[in-house]
Amino acid sequence: MIIDDVINDLVAFAKRHHIIIKFLKMPSGMRSLAFIKQKFIIINTNCPESQLPFKIAHELGHVLLESDDRIFHSKSMDNRFSSEGTANDVALHLLIKFYLDECEEYNLNSVQPIMEQLHIAPKFLAKVQRITKECLTH
């Protein structure tokens, strides 16, 4: 299942960058947390499994953007965005990269499979199209 593969890729990425991820079943409605300086993330697993990749990638985005060594940087990100919006951008970059790594074939004409399988909100359609094109052409 692609969701499991992407989750495994995200966890491996975190380990390579010395970021610890703990998965805990907390009360529903409690947000996942990122402790930036400590490079420590808590993911609330009390949600549908399909939502986990974006949650993990989003919290990784907070740590990557705010860490002293700036592990992740993209020319397409603009500092005028809120930290939540920028963390979403990092999340989309990570998710799309790992999704495409797991796919044997991919058609650039439609990003619907990415959006559906990773449960990415429709409001991100234009960003998903742009990032997918960037990933496939580089």
Side-chain angles (χ1 to χ4, degrees):
M1 178 178 221
I2 196 101
I3 288 177
D4 292 335
D5 294 333
V6 171
I7 290 171
N8 290 334
D9 290 342
L10 289 166
V11 170
F13 176 88
K15 284 182 183 179
R16 285 192 307 275
H17 293 93
H18 310 290
I19 300 168
I20 298 167
I21 300 176
K22 292 288 183 195
F23 294 90
L24 298 174
K25 187 168 186 169
M26 300 184 292
S28 64
M30 251 185 110
R31 293 179 175 239
S32 297
L33 303 166
F35 299 91
I36 295 163
K37 291 186 192 286
Q38 296 83 3
K39 292 188 171 187
F40 181 74
I41 295 170
I42 298 173
I43 300 296
N44 183 356
T45 60
N46 193 4
C47 65
E49 182 186 29
S50 61
Q51 294 177 5
L52 287 175
F54 194 87
K55 281 185 174 199
I56 297 165
H58 177 87
E59 297 306 329
L60 279 170
H62 282 299
V63 174
L64 295 172
L65 288 166
E66 299 298 327
S67 66
D68 292 335
D69 47 1
R70 300 285 176 176
I71 297 165
F72 187 90
H73 177 71
S74 172
K75 292 181 283 188
S76 64
M77 288 184 203
D78 189 327
N79 290 333
R80 293 176 295 173
F81 293 123
S82 71
S83 65
E84 291 301 313
T86 308
N88 285 339
D89 286 352
V90 172
L92 292 171
H93 276 82
L94 290 172
L95 289 172
I96 291 167
K97 179 197 178 314
F98 292 136
Y99 178 89
L100 294 173
D101 287 350
E102 295 296 336
C103 288
E104 292 179 20
E105 291 183 27
Y106 190 78
N107 179 354
L108 183 56
N109 295 328
S110 174
V111 295
Q112 283 311 115
I114 292 174
M115 299 198 57
E116 288 172 7
Q117 290 181 25
L118 296 176
H119 294 267
I120 297 172
K123 68 181 180 181
F124 295 122
L125 176 62
K127 286 183 182 186
V128 170
Q129 290 170 326
R130 180 181 43 77
I131 294 166
T132 302
K133 184 177 179 180
E134 287 173 10
C135 288
L136 289 172
T137 57
H138 288 114

